[in-house]
Each structure stands twice: as C-alpha cells, then as structure tokens.
Amino acid sequence: QQPVQSPQAVILREGEDAVINCSSSKALYSVHWYRQKHGEAPVFLMILLKGGEQKGHEKISASFNEKKQQSSLYLTASQLSYSGTYFCGTLDLNSGYSTLTFGKGTMLLVSP
Amino acid sequence: DTGVSQNPRHKITKRGQNVTFRCDPISEHNRLYWYRQTLGQGPEFLTYFQNEAQLEKSRLLSDRFSAERPKGSFSTLEIQRTEQGDSAMYLCASSLDSTETGELFFGEGSRLTVL
C-alpha cells in the first residue's frame, strides 16, 4: 500500500525551512527518501531504519517514528538546488515484498 | 560514466505493437529493478532481479509485460500488444546492497508513448 506524503507542494524562498511528511498504514522496516529533478532520475538522499539508525545526506535530516509509521524530512536553510520532487519509499516486510513502495511525491520549489 | 544506462530514451509506438527496453546497471550491482512512473506519481514497482533470477513481480503487472536478465548483467523489459495506458516513463535501478539498507541508483528512464 502506497505511503501518503504531505504536503503535495511547497514553495519557499531561499534560506527558509521545510518539512515533508510520509506516513504509512503498515508497520515499516525502513523509510527511504529520494529527490527527483525535472527530467532527471531520482537520486538517493537518506535511509531511516527501524531501530533508529540513519544514513544519508549531510545537509538534510530526517526522523522515523516507528510506532506511528511516520517519517519526516527536514530541509533547513533551503538552497535553490533543493528544488525538485521528494519521494519517500517504504519497506514493509509483512507485505511479502522486499522492494520499495513510493509515495506520490512532494514538489518543492525554492525561489531566490 | 559508470551509472545506470537505459535505452532507448524515448519510444513512440502505435497501439498493439511490441516494444523492448534495455537497462545496463552499474557493473558490480547484483540487484536490478524496473519501475514505472507516470506524471504526478511516484515510481511504481514492476519487477526485480537478483543476478539472473527474477525474484519478485508486482501483482499488478500484466502478463503482456516480461523481463529478463539473462546473464545477470543487462536486463530487458518487453511490453507486448501495447495499450495507451502503458504510456509512462520506465525506470531501471540497480543496487549492491539489500533493499533494507541499500541505495537504489536509477537510470534516466525510457519514456514510452503509445498512440
């Protein structure tokens, strides 16, 4: 089942902060975040694992609340290069799949 | 460049025709994935290989779709008797680690338009 992302779109000025949320109705093993710029391939940002281990991007942080099956991506002091669509991908081990299910994405536009 | 390579990048075909896409993953990656993406949506999982073995297929995947990875290197995705609803971007990704902890490296995709 597809995770739900919110908001659908965010418009920021350079230097402002944003939070993107991802929630699932399933018990999750991990949450993965990707960014896709227009016309380009999705690019990996971060993995958050059950148990709290985190790997990822040096300028973007994230949290994973296992009990609520929610993750949030925090973009602070946004830069123009942060513009793009952010996708969370979830891994639900009870689904029988060992592959990611992606949300519909959150479009982020950072203006000067 | 040693990234994931996909071709053709664009394919326009008439309804009912067959199309084939090719993906060359990063050479040391043993896992290869096919996803489909339509406008305003996230990538939708289609199928996944570990080496030459096709381990998972989406339950939503029509039997008109078939994928192979004959020698555990490149992969092909064939769509038979294309329909207008097949129009989408077909993304290939590869990884070295397991999905639980591994980063997916995506190619730039093959865009299919069915007329």
Side-chain angles (χ1 to χ4, degrees), chain A residues 34 41-44 100 102, chain B residues 1-6 23-29 31-35 91-97 101-109:
Chain A
Y34 286 77
V43 174
F44 169 79
L100 295 178
F102 286 95
Chain B
D1 183 23
T2 57
V4 177
S5 175
Q6 292 188 244
C23 171
D24 288 89
I26 295 171
S27 58
E28 63 267 28
H29 287 184
R31 294 181 173 225
L32 186 147
Y33 308 80
W34 285 99
Y35 282 85
L91 293 168
C92 176
S94 68
S95 70
L96 182 60
D97 296 332
T101 57
E103 170 184 351
L104 296 182
F105 292 82
F106 283 89
E108 293 189 324

Side-chain angles (χ1 to χ4, degrees), chain B residues 82-103:
Chain B
T82 53
E83 301 173 356
Q84 288 184 327
D86 297 332
S87 295
M89 177 72 82
Y90 289 84
L91 293 168
C92 176
S94 68
S95 70
L96 182 60
D97 296 332
S98 65
T99 304
E100 291 84 344
T101 57
E103 170 184 351

Side-chain angles (χ1 to χ4, degrees), chain A residues 13-18 59 75-80 82:
Chain A
R13 290 197 178 274
E14 202 172 6
E16 292 181 337
D17 302 339
K59 293 188 177 182
L75 302 105
T76 56
S78 59
Q79 305 170 15
L80 296 176
Y82 286 6

